[in-house]
Amino acid sequence: MKVIIVGGVAGGATAAARLRRLDEQAEIIVLERTGYVSYANCGLPYYIGGTIQDREALTLQTPESFRARFNIDVRVKHEVLSIQPEAHTVTVRRLEDGSEYTESYDKLLLSPGAKAIRPPLPGIDLDGIFTLRTVEDTFRIRSFLEEKKPRSAVVVGGGFIGLEMAENLIHAGVRTTLIQLDDQVLLPLDKDMAGEVHSYLRGQGLDLRLSTAVTGFRRQDGKLETLIGDQPPVAADLVILAIGVAPESDLARRAGLTLGQKGSIAVDDHMRTSQPDIYAVGDAVELAHIVTGQKALVALAGPANRQGRIAADHICGLDQSYSGAQGSSILKLFGMTAAATGLNERSAKAAGVAYDKVVTYSASHAAYYPGAQNMTVKTLFDPATGRILGAQIVGFDGVDKRIDVMATAVRAGLTAQQLTHLDLAYAPPYSSAKDPVNMAGYVIENLRAGLVEQHHWDQVAGLPDDGSVILLDVRTPDEVAQQGLMRPDVIHIPLDSLRQRLGELDPSKKIYVNCVSGLRSYLACRILSQRGFRCSNLSGGWRFWSYAARDRVHDAAPTHPCGIPIGEDRHGA
Amino acid sequence: MKVIIVGGVAGGATAAARLRRLDEQAEIIVLERTGYVSYANCGLPYYIGGTIQDREALTLQTPESFRARFNIDVRVKHEVLSIQPEAHTVTVRRLEDGSEYTESYDKLLLSPGAKAIRPPLPGIDLDGIFTLRTVEDTFRIRSFLEEKKPRSAVVVGGGFIGLEMAENLIHAGVRTTLIQLDDQVLLPLDKDMAGEVHSYLRGQGLDLRLSTAVTGFRRQDGKLETLIGDQPPVAADLVILAIGVAPESDLARRAGLTLGQKGSIAVDDHMRTSQPDIYAVGDAVELAHIVTGQKALVALAGPANRQGRIAADHICGLDQSYSGAQGSSILKLFGMTAAATGLNERSAKAAGVAYDKVVTYSASHAAYYPGAQNMTVKTLFDPATGRILGAQIVGFDGVDKRIDVMATAVRAGLTAQQLTHLDLAYAPPYSSAKDPVNMAGYVIENLRAGLVEQHHWDQVAGLPDDGSVILLDVRTPDEVAQQGLMRPDVIHIPLDSLRQRLGELDPSKKIYVNCVSGLRSYLACRILSQRGFRCSNLSGGWRFWSYAARDRVHDAAPTHPCGIPIGEDRHGA
């Protein structure tokens, strides 16, 4: 058997190695357009910023090492120009000398990846404007930093690459402006979850411009200027374009393979294209989302690796299928971590999936043990069954753990009740006896059991101010003094005085209760509703509202979760 | 409704708070024998060692704060002497003045916990010998440290408390000997997994004596001596007894409640004892293990809290059931983390559960990103179905995350194949594109698919040395020079030369292959078996063997997992 693999990174490299392990006799050829294979593509921004100092660490796998270990014929700087599916051949160009040749295959695996988008804006090809996708791009940007010592940069785009580049540029001492077309960064998060990220990034010195369209570039008085419509241009020594990626499907399209959405390559469960002897994996293919069952594009390394392995298995006659992606993703932003899995509100609405949501705050570990920090957890669930549909978490410690437990729960189809039963490993340095994931389950179960009704941050402004409803704040006087009230008409009664001061509340009016996090206000709601008041709890409390509804400057990560007295969370939900 | 709760920590405190949230009108009385409620019991060793500096942090919940927030009548220093189930009363003693009274109840909830075992050894009551269970115990030990400034200590017992105390004593500058009856510490781990822990602890300065029985104590020339049979006694200024705990079921027994194993209290799924109006939760009760279905004792905070909530729910008419425990546990040991969930080999054998196992090494995150450290993962699975039965992990970074994902997988009944499909959140600072949990799944699937046969560390010594089999080591020459061969008769052929040197191997003999971790030797096995050799892979490789089979001194945690070249793990399984 002779297998040709187009693209030697992530899915392609994984497939090649797995093929060899399964078939010692197969002839395996990897054709890679760049000069590198199996490089650490997710590490590239960190090399530019200097967190990764060893250039070799990015590119340790060489064609030679791959050959030595796996007996694979790796040809870098070889570009596949066309595929002849009927003839089972590809036409290849040696980029070093421009010569071309034809290579036959029994099975062909396409792992072309995606290309960085470069919109046709005026001035897009000026010197000093870079995209980042390959090792070559990386060395080019790094050389520019070393030689030109830029003092300022513009990053266009607030996705993973844009934000990682912004962090790394600031880390390297470069004053950085990030320009984002959307009204938020990081689209795996809903806008309300991104609010805290925006505040935090600004606190780290990033000049963040949201809802801002780049209209072009020009060089003015020697300065590279990024034009943003009728606003003043932003001058900088360096521009990174990180607008997004598009599937590299040109080769597939010209070969007549069936395409999916946005020019992606359509594949079946075994990663086969419309031509049964041609497989495709990675950023270029269209996948089924495991929650919605609908097709989606997921440009992430984990799925690419899994797909490469599954394609190799199927080529070798093992019956493996790809079970779909759920878009689990995570990003380090200076000291902050933002992560998501499964559906968010945007993707649930787009897919027509019914959902409800809760926002919870939890300490990353026992609050009495040093280093605990709070995290914000937003969990989407199916209101009919309680099944967990997705989660988003923003925090400073232990976020990666909770998103992976949530990802496993989503994958396994667990319900909120099952989340409450999860027996997670607890010791004070690592968690609390009720883990943040358990807590999310409890809060959902309280809601589903009808123990409490909730409203959300975006409803606060619209609550009547004509005295027909009551807004009740149960924080402590100190908290209110420090943080202020959400509206001037809010009545303030600290939780621990509420039982004594019920007479101050008109039982004919519905009461909208808040505290800092939504936890004490839940206790208040339980007191009120059992005493005949109609009431609703503000999900996520003052804290979530303050980030989501206005542009609050981020507070330093508090040791105690959002000012909640220690132990309260142990008896909260 | 009037509810009496006996015991105001963990399960008792959780039940009290949940009861109030569900029933604003109920009369709730908590009777606690010590002077503290809802204290941070898992934090006590860290206060003794000074990691937790604030005494208030341990005991922030007071009877007064509990009353203010939850309107609960908390009576500390009140001991329940007896229960009269027919009359629905308890007899209570005020420990401050010795007076007694009777209190009636509609529902009674027992959360008595467990008591530290004090065996009837000679000298057990000498000054300077302590147990640790309550806040009072903690302050007593801390005062002793501050006043007597002990320079040496003996800890008896190598479970959670014993090890945490040993760490904290060393942290406080006290030379510490830990004496353990078993041949290993930390029984949630199998002995082979404990091997690395032993090495590491010794490297941290702990004088660890395994398989050693304490036979008594005496004071000799002013020194407190711990006697260990015919070995020389160990002199120390301080002894901590951490032999284990026993259910505090005396009250339940005398009330005629049905007991379970080891004197525990028997309960149903709703945490009801044999008397329907009496519930019991926490360390004192017997639980169903979710994997085996058999009854077990689990003295951990997480289950206690969940049970307290479920008992409260059931008392208030909500239909909640406890779904069983799986013994997820975790321990910080200086910089190391050891964790377990579900079944280990010992518990699987005891329960008669068929299992197979794999040992894998994985980096905690992308090896090219700073700070990656390797972890050892042992995973038990059902050989018939591939269902994950349990996992144990020892390492330095990211262990808590992987054990919680494994715990979720065990709870959800996931198979090894489903582990491979888990879409976990990857970015270089947090994980690898193939997470350690995915890797465990892949290795199990390779085994179950018949792609490789494996043998274990304890079989190496017994392999014939008469030339009838071949032991083949495929590490690099440098590794062999540094680490040595496992046996003098091992043949050494580095993996990357294997294809060229197959002629040196006798195809009539079975080949037992090892490398450092079991990963390159798997690749070697794939090459060999496809070329007609019979072979077997040493699970966990030289590294696991070196800790499990002999008392190797722990190496400093390497940046690259156990010397595996970067990237190898990306193409390994």
Short mmCIF file of all heavy atoms in Angstrom, two decimals, chain B residues 470-477 479-481 483-487 489-498 501 505 511-517 520-521 524 528 536 538 541-543 545:
data_model
loop_
_atom_site.label_atom_id
_atom_site.label_comp_id
_atom_site.label_asym_id
_atom_site.label_seq_id
_atom_site.Cartn_x
_atom_site.Cartn_y
_atom_site.Cartn_z
N ILE B 470 14.31 -13.35 24.89
CA ILE B 470 15.19 -12.19 24.71
C ILE B 470 14.62 -11.01 25.48
O ILE B 470 13.42 -10.74 25.41
CB ILE B 470 15.30 -11.81 23.22
CG1 ILE B 470 15.95 -12.95 22.42
CG2 ILE B 470 16.07 -10.50 23.03
CD1 ILE B 470 15.91 -12.75 20.90
N LEU B 471 15.46 -10.34 26.27
CA LEU B 471 15.09 -9.04 26.84
C LEU B 471 15.76 -7.98 25.98
O LEU B 471 16.99 -7.97 25.85
CB LEU B 471 15.55 -8.92 28.30
CG LEU B 471 14.61 -9.52 29.35
CD1 LEU B 471 14.58 -11.04 29.28
CD2 LEU B 471 14.98 -9.04 30.75
N LEU B 472 14.95 -7.09 25.41
CA LEU B 472 15.46 -6.09 24.48
C LEU B 472 15.18 -4.69 25.02
O LEU B 472 14.04 -4.37 25.36
CB LEU B 472 14.78 -6.26 23.11
CG LEU B 472 15.07 -5.18 22.06
CD1 LEU B 472 16.53 -5.20 21.64
CD2 LEU B 472 14.15 -5.36 20.84
N ASP B 473 16.21 -3.90 25.08
CA ASP B 473 16.09 -2.52 25.57
C ASP B 473 16.32 -1.58 24.39
O ASP B 473 17.37 -1.65 23.75
CB ASP B 473 17.14 -2.28 26.66
CG ASP B 473 16.95 -0.97 27.40
OD1 ASP B 473 16.57 0.03 26.75
OD2 ASP B 473 17.19 -0.95 28.62
N VAL B 474 15.36 -0.68 24.10
CA VAL B 474 15.47 0.17 22.90
C VAL B 474 15.74 1.63 23.26
O VAL B 474 15.54 2.52 22.45
CB VAL B 474 14.20 0.06 22.01
CG1 VAL B 474 14.05 -1.35 21.49
CG2 VAL B 474 12.95 0.53 22.74
N ARG B 475 16.22 1.88 24.48
CA ARG B 475 16.58 3.25 24.84
C ARG B 475 17.82 3.71 24.05
O ARG B 475 18.50 2.90 23.41
CB ARG B 475 16.88 3.33 26.35
CG ARG B 475 15.65 3.24 27.21
CD ARG B 475 16.00 3.24 28.69
NE ARG B 475 16.69 2.01 29.07
CZ ARG B 475 17.30 1.82 30.25
NH1 ARG B 475 17.31 2.79 31.15
NH2 ARG B 475 17.88 0.67 30.52
N THR B 476 18.13 4.98 24.16
CA THR B 476 19.35 5.49 23.52
C THR B 476 20.56 5.04 24.32
O THR B 476 20.45 4.71 25.52
CB THR B 476 19.34 7.04 23.48
OG1 THR B 476 19.38 7.51 24.82
CG2 THR B 476 18.12 7.58 22.77
N PRO B 477 21.73 5.04 23.71
CA PRO B 477 22.95 4.69 24.46
C PRO B 477 23.14 5.60 25.68
O PRO B 477 23.56 5.14 26.74
CB PRO B 477 24.06 4.89 23.42
CG PRO B 477 23.39 4.64 22.10
CD PRO B 477 21.99 5.17 22.26
N GLU B 479 20.89 7.05 27.52
CA GLU B 479 19.97 6.66 28.59
C GLU B 479 20.46 5.40 29.30
O GLU B 479 20.41 5.30 30.52
CB GLU B 479 18.56 6.42 28.00
CG GLU B 479 17.86 7.72 27.62
CD GLU B 479 16.63 7.49 26.75
OE1 GLU B 479 16.46 6.37 26.18
OE2 GLU B 479 15.84 8.43 26.61
N VAL B 480 20.89 4.46 28.52
CA VAL B 480 21.38 3.20 29.11
C VAL B 480 22.62 3.48 29.97
O VAL B 480 22.75 2.95 31.09
CB VAL B 480 21.68 2.17 28.02
CG1 VAL B 480 22.44 0.97 28.59
CG2 VAL B 480 20.39 1.70 27.37
N ALA B 481 23.48 4.36 29.48
CA ALA B 481 24.68 4.68 30.26
C ALA B 481 24.31 5.33 31.58
O ALA B 481 24.88 5.04 32.63
CB ALA B 481 25.59 5.60 29.44
N GLN B 483 21.21 5.24 33.15
CA GLN B 483 20.22 4.56 33.97
C GLN B 483 20.54 3.10 34.23
O GLN B 483 20.01 2.50 35.16
CB GLN B 483 18.84 4.67 33.27
CG GLN B 483 18.39 6.12 33.07
CD GLN B 483 17.26 6.26 32.06
OE1 GLN B 483 16.96 5.34 31.32
NE2 GLN B 483 16.64 7.43 32.05
N GLY B 484 21.40 2.54 33.42
CA GLY B 484 21.72 1.13 33.58
C GLY B 484 20.68 0.23 32.98
O GLY B 484 19.57 0.65 32.66
N LEU B 485 21.05 -1.03 32.79
CA LEU B 485 20.11 -2.02 32.27
C LEU B 485 19.36 -2.67 33.43
O LEU B 485 19.84 -2.69 34.56
CB LEU B 485 20.87 -3.09 31.48
CG LEU B 485 21.53 -2.60 30.18
CD1 LEU B 485 22.44 -3.69 29.60
CD2 LEU B 485 20.48 -2.20 29.15
N MET B 486 18.21 -3.24 33.15
CA MET B 486 17.42 -3.88 34.20
C MET B 486 18.06 -5.19 34.64
O MET B 486 17.96 -5.56 35.80
CB MET B 486 15.99 -4.13 33.71
CG MET B 486 15.19 -2.85 33.53
SD MET B 486 13.43 -3.18 33.35
CE MET B 486 13.44 -4.18 31.88
N ARG B 487 18.66 -5.88 33.67
CA ARG B 487 19.34 -7.14 33.96
C ARG B 487 20.56 -7.22 33.08
O ARG B 487 20.58 -6.66 31.98
CB ARG B 487 18.42 -8.34 33.68
CG ARG B 487 17.36 -8.55 34.72
CD ARG B 487 16.40 -9.68 34.46
NE ARG B 487 16.82 -10.73 33.54
CZ ARG B 487 16.08 -11.82 33.32
NH1 ARG B 487 14.92 -12.00 33.96
NH2 ARG B 487 16.49 -12.73 32.48
N ASP B 489 21.56 -9.53 31.23
CA ASP B 489 21.37 -10.26 29.97
C ASP B 489 20.51 -9.52 28.96
O ASP B 489 20.10 -10.08 27.94
CB ASP B 489 20.78 -11.66 30.24
CG ASP B 489 19.46 -11.59 31.02
OD1 ASP B 489 19.19 -10.56 31.68
OD2 ASP B 489 18.70 -12.58 30.98
N VAL B 490 20.22 -8.23 29.22
CA VAL B 490 19.40 -7.46 28.29
C VAL B 490 20.22 -7.11 27.04
O VAL B 490 21.38 -6.71 27.14
CB VAL B 490 18.91 -6.17 28.98
CG1 VAL B 490 18.26 -5.23 27.96
CG2 VAL B 490 17.93 -6.50 30.10
N ILE B 491 19.61 -7.27 25.87
CA ILE B 491 20.22 -6.82 24.61
C ILE B 491 19.81 -5.38 24.36
O ILE B 491 18.64 -5.02 24.53
CB ILE B 491 19.74 -7.70 23.43
CG1 ILE B 491 20.22 -9.14 23.63
CG2 ILE B 491 20.20 -7.12 22.09
CD1 ILE B 491 19.70 -10.08 22.56
N HIS B 492 20.75 -4.55 24.00
CA HIS B 492 20.44 -3.13 23.77
C HIS B 492 20.54 -2.77 22.30
O HIS B 492 21.61 -2.85 21.70
CB HIS B 492 21.42 -2.27 24.60
CG HIS B 492 21.24 -0.82 24.33
ND1 HIS B 492 22.29 0.06 24.14
CD2 HIS B 492 20.12 -0.07 24.20
CE1 HIS B 492 21.81 1.26 23.89
NE2 HIS B 492 20.51 1.22 23.93
N ILE B 493 19.41 -2.40 21.72
CA ILE B 493 19.38 -1.87 20.35
C ILE B 493 18.49 -0.63 20.36
O ILE B 493 17.28 -0.73 20.58
CB ILE B 493 18.80 -2.88 19.33
CG1 ILE B 493 19.59 -4.19 19.35
CG2 ILE B 493 18.78 -2.26 17.93
CD1 ILE B 493 19.01 -5.26 18.40
N PRO B 494 19.05 0.55 20.16
CA PRO B 494 18.21 1.76 20.16
C PRO B 494 17.09 1.66 19.12
O PRO B 494 17.31 1.11 18.03
CB PRO B 494 19.19 2.88 19.82
CG PRO B 494 20.53 2.35 20.21
CD PRO B 494 20.46 0.87 19.94
N LEU B 495 15.93 2.20 19.47
CA LEU B 495 14.77 2.08 18.58
C LEU B 495 15.09 2.48 17.15
O LEU B 495 14.71 1.77 16.20
CB LEU B 495 13.60 2.94 19.12
CG LEU B 495 12.39 3.04 18.19
CD1 LEU B 495 11.76 1.67 17.95
CD2 LEU B 495 11.36 4.01 18.75
N ASP B 496 15.77 3.63 17.01
CA ASP B 496 15.96 4.14 15.65
C ASP B 496 16.93 3.30 14.83
O ASP B 496 17.10 3.54 13.63
CB ASP B 496 16.39 5.62 15.68
CG ASP B 496 15.25 6.52 16.16
OD1 ASP B 496 14.09 6.04 16.22
OD2 ASP B 496 15.51 7.69 16.48
N SER B 497 17.59 2.31 15.44
CA SER B 497 18.42 1.37 14.69
C SER B 497 17.75 0.00 14.52
O SER B 497 18.32 -0.89 13.90
CB SER B 497 19.76 1.13 15.42
OG SER B 497 20.33 2.34 15.82
N LEU B 498 16.59 -0.16 15.10
CA LEU B 498 16.02 -1.50 15.19
C LEU B 498 15.77 -2.13 13.83
O LEU B 498 16.10 -3.30 13.59
CB LEU B 498 14.72 -1.46 16.01
CG LEU B 498 14.04 -2.80 16.27
CD1 LEU B 498 14.97 -3.74 17.03
CD2 LEU B 498 12.74 -2.62 17.02
N ARG B 501 18.79 -3.57 12.46
CA ARG B 501 19.53 -4.57 13.23
C ARG B 501 18.66 -5.77 13.61
O ARG B 501 18.97 -6.49 14.57
CB ARG B 501 20.13 -3.90 14.48
CG ARG B 501 21.21 -2.88 14.11
CD ARG B 501 21.75 -2.14 15.31
NE ARG B 501 22.32 -3.04 16.31
CZ ARG B 501 22.79 -2.63 17.50
NH1 ARG B 501 22.77 -1.33 17.81
NH2 ARG B 501 23.28 -3.49 18.37
N LEU B 505 18.40 -10.47 16.18
CA LEU B 505 17.41 -11.08 17.05
C LEU B 505 16.97 -12.43 16.51
O LEU B 505 16.70 -12.56 15.32
CB LEU B 505 16.20 -10.14 17.19
CG LEU B 505 16.52 -8.75 17.78
CD1 LEU B 505 15.32 -7.82 17.63
CD2 LEU B 505 16.94 -8.88 19.24
N ILE B 511 10.38 -11.93 22.56
CA ILE B 511 11.17 -10.75 22.93
C ILE B 511 10.39 -9.87 23.91
O ILE B 511 9.25 -9.50 23.64
CB ILE B 511 11.53 -9.93 21.67
CG1 ILE B 511 12.23 -10.83 20.64
CG2 ILE B 511 12.40 -8.73 22.03
CD1 ILE B 511 12.50 -10.15 19.31
N TYR B 512 11.01 -9.57 25.04
CA TYR B 512 10.42 -8.68 26.04
C TYR B 512 11.12 -7.34 25.93
O TYR B 512 12.30 -7.22 26.25
CB TYR B 512 10.55 -9.28 27.44
CG TYR B 512 9.71 -10.54 27.58
CD1 TYR B 512 10.22 -11.77 27.19
CD2 TYR B 512 8.42 -10.47 28.05
CE1 TYR B 512 9.44 -12.92 27.28
CE2 TYR B 512 7.64 -11.61 28.15
CZ TYR B 512 8.15 -12.84 27.75
OH TYR B 512 7.37 -13.97 27.84
N VAL B 513 10.38 -6.32 25.49
CA VAL B 513 10.98 -5.05 25.11
C VAL B 513 10.72 -3.99 26.18
O VAL B 513 9.63 -3.93 26.75
CB VAL B 513 10.41 -4.55 23.76
CG1 VAL B 513 11.26 -3.41 23.22
CG2 VAL B 513 10.30 -5.68 22.76
N ASN B 514 11.73 -3.17 26.43
CA ASN B 514 11.49 -2.01 27.31
C ASN B 514 12.18 -0.78 26.75
O ASN B 514 13.14 -0.86 25.98
CB ASN B 514 12.00 -2.27 28.73
CG ASN B 514 13.50 -2.04 28.87
OD1 ASN B 514 14.29 -2.94 28.57
ND2 ASN B 514 13.91 -0.85 29.29
N CYS B 515 11.66 0.40 27.13
CA CYS B 515 12.37 1.66 26.94
C CYS B 515 12.29 2.39 28.27
O CYS B 515 12.23 1.76 29.32
CB CYS B 515 11.77 2.47 25.79
SG CYS B 515 10.10 3.02 26.10
N VAL B 516 12.30 3.71 28.26
CA VAL B 516 12.17 4.44 29.53
C VAL B 516 10.74 4.35 30.05
O VAL B 516 10.50 4.08 31.21
CB VAL B 516 12.59 5.92 29.38
CG1 VAL B 516 12.38 6.66 30.70
CG2 VAL B 516 14.04 6.02 28.95
N SER B 517 9.79 4.60 29.16
CA SER B 517 8.41 4.82 29.60
C SER B 517 7.41 3.79 29.11
O SER B 517 6.28 3.75 29.57
CB SER B 517 7.93 6.18 29.10
OG SER B 517 7.75 6.13 27.68
N ARG B 520 8.40 4.10 23.40
CA ARG B 520 9.24 3.67 22.28
C ARG B 520 9.26 2.15 22.15
O ARG B 520 9.36 1.61 21.06
CB ARG B 520 10.67 4.21 22.46
CG ARG B 520 10.82 5.64 22.00
CD ARG B 520 12.17 6.20 22.37
NE ARG B 520 12.28 6.39 23.81
CZ ARG B 520 13.41 6.66 24.44
NH1 ARG B 520 14.55 6.74 23.77
NH2 ARG B 520 13.42 6.84 25.74
N SER B 521 9.16 1.46 23.29
CA SER B 521 9.15 0.00 23.22
C SER B 521 7.86 -0.50 22.56
O SER B 521 7.84 -1.57 21.94
CB SER B 521 9.32 -0.60 24.62
OG SER B 521 8.42 -0.04 25.53
N ALA B 524 8.65 -0.27 19.02
CA ALA B 524 9.51 -1.42 18.70
C ALA B 524 8.67 -2.68 18.54
O ALA B 524 8.87 -3.48 17.61
CB ALA B 524 10.56 -1.60 19.79
N LEU B 528 8.46 -5.15 15.38
CA LEU B 528 8.81 -6.57 15.54
C LEU B 528 7.65 -7.49 15.16
O LEU B 528 7.82 -8.46 14.43
CB LEU B 528 9.24 -6.83 16.98
CG LEU B 528 10.58 -6.20 17.41
CD1 LEU B 528 10.75 -6.27 18.92
CD2 LEU B 528 11.74 -6.91 16.69
N SER B 536 6.55 -8.64 23.60
CA SER B 536 5.72 -8.07 24.66
C SER B 536 6.37 -6.76 25.13
O SER B 536 7.60 -6.66 25.18
CB SER B 536 5.61 -9.06 25.82
OG SER B 536 4.90 -8.49 26.90
N LEU B 538 7.03 -3.82 27.99
CA LEU B 538 7.05 -3.60 29.43
C LEU B 538 6.22 -2.36 29.76
O LEU B 538 6.62 -1.23 29.46
CB LEU B 538 8.48 -3.42 29.95
CG LEU B 538 8.58 -3.10 31.45
CD1 LEU B 538 7.97 -4.21 32.31
CD2 LEU B 538 10.02 -2.84 31.86
N GLY B 541 7.61 0.85 31.37
CA GLY B 541 9.03 0.92 31.04
C GLY B 541 9.98 0.84 32.23
O GLY B 541 9.61 0.46 33.33
N TRP B 542 11.24 1.21 31.90
CA TRP B 542 12.29 1.18 32.90
C TRP B 542 11.95 2.06 34.09
O TRP B 542 12.22 1.72 35.24
CB TRP B 542 13.60 1.69 32.27
CG TRP B 542 14.70 1.84 33.27
CD1 TRP B 542 15.56 0.86 33.67
CD2 TRP B 542 15.05 3.00 34.01
NE1 TRP B 542 16.43 1.34 34.63
CE2 TRP B 542 16.12 2.67 34.86
CE3 TRP B 542 14.53 4.30 34.06
CZ2 TRP B 542 16.70 3.59 35.73
CZ3 TRP B 542 15.10 5.22 34.92
CH2 TRP B 542 16.19 4.84 35.75
N ARG B 543 11.30 3.20 33.82
CA ARG B 543 11.05 4.17 34.89
C ARG B 543 10.12 3.57 35.96
O ARG B 543 10.39 3.66 37.17
CB ARG B 543 10.46 5.44 34.29
CG ARG B 543 10.46 6.61 35.25
CD ARG B 543 10.00 7.88 34.54
NE ARG B 543 10.08 9.02 35.44
CZ ARG B 543 9.18 9.27 36.37
NH1 ARG B 543 8.15 8.48 36.53
NH2 ARG B 543 9.34 10.32 37.16
N TRP B 545 9.39 0.43 36.49
CA TRP B 545 10.10 -0.71 37.09
C TRP B 545 11.06 -0.23 38.17
O TRP B 545 11.15 -0.80 39.25
CB TRP B 545 10.84 -1.48 35.99
CG TRP B 545 11.79 -2.51 36.51
CD1 TRP B 545 11.51 -3.80 36.85
CD2 TRP B 545 13.20 -2.32 36.76
NE1 TRP B 545 12.64 -4.43 37.30
CE2 TRP B 545 13.69 -3.55 37.26
CE3 TRP B 545 14.07 -1.24 36.61
CZ2 TRP B 545 15.03 -3.73 37.61
CZ3 TRP B 545 15.41 -1.41 36.96
CH2 TRP B 545 15.86 -2.64 37.45
#
